[in-house]
């Protein structure tokens, strides 16, 4: 369950079925930056990207178990300075893959 304290957002997102991408958050959450950590208990890779149909081993970026990545949207090309959580998708190579999310919400 997502937790919001001030502008700090945190959650653990589970991909129930491998091959079925899920969004990191709802459109109500716009992130200035977001950090993702593939839990070390995962047995396969976590894939992430900006299109539900394109988050896969051949098209998306990936995190191996216990890998982490920070994405900063404050100076993005669109000039928006943030990204809606509904535009960031994750998928898993195996059922039940989990990613811990921490992000800074737009004002």
């Amino acid at each position: 369950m997502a937790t919001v304290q001030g502008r700090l957002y945190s959650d653990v997102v589970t991909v129930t079925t491998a091959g079925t991408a899920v969004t990191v958050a709802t459109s109500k959450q716009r992130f200035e930056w977001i950090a993702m950590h593939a839990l070390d208990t995962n047995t396969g890779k976590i894939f992430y990207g900006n299109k539900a149909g394109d988050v896969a081993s051949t098209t998306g970026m990936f995190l191996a178990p216990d890998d982490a990545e920070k994405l900063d949207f404050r100076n993005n090309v669109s000039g928006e300075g943030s990204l809606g959580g509904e535009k960031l998708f994750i998928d898993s190579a195996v059922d039940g893959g989990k990613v811990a999310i921490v992000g800074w919400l737009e004002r």
Side-chain angles (χ1 to χ4, degrees):
M1 181 172 179
T3 302
V4 178
Q5 293 182 339
R7 292 175 57 197
L8 186 65
Y9 176 96
S10 63
D11 198 2
V12 174
V13 179
T14 301
V15 179
T16 305
T17 305
T20 305
V22 297
T23 58
V24 168
T26 68
S27 61
K28 293 179 183 177
Q29 284 87 29
R30 292 195 60 84
F31 295 93
E32 290 184 4
W33 60 261
I34 192 165
M36 302 178 292
H37 174 244
L39 300 190
D40 61 357
T41 54
N42 290 341
T43 58
K45 293 178 181 175
I46 296 290
F47 305 99
Y48 64 95
N50 67 342
K51 293 184 180 179
D54 288 345
V55 181
S57 59
T58 56
T59 55
M61 301 292 290
F62 72 88
L63 299 170
D66 207 29
D67 278 355
E69 181 73 40
K70 179 182 175 190
L71 304 173
D72 192 333
F73 308 112
R74 290 175 286 192
N75 294 312
N76 64 26
V77 178
S78 71
E80 293 179 32
S82 65
L83 183 78
E86 84 285 2
K87 294 180 181 177
L88 183 58
F89 293 85
I90 61 168
D91 200 350
S92 179
V94 297
D95 291 351
K98 294 183 179 190
V99 179
I101 303 291
V102 175
W104 194 250
L105 297 173
E106 180 180 65
R107 288 184 195 253

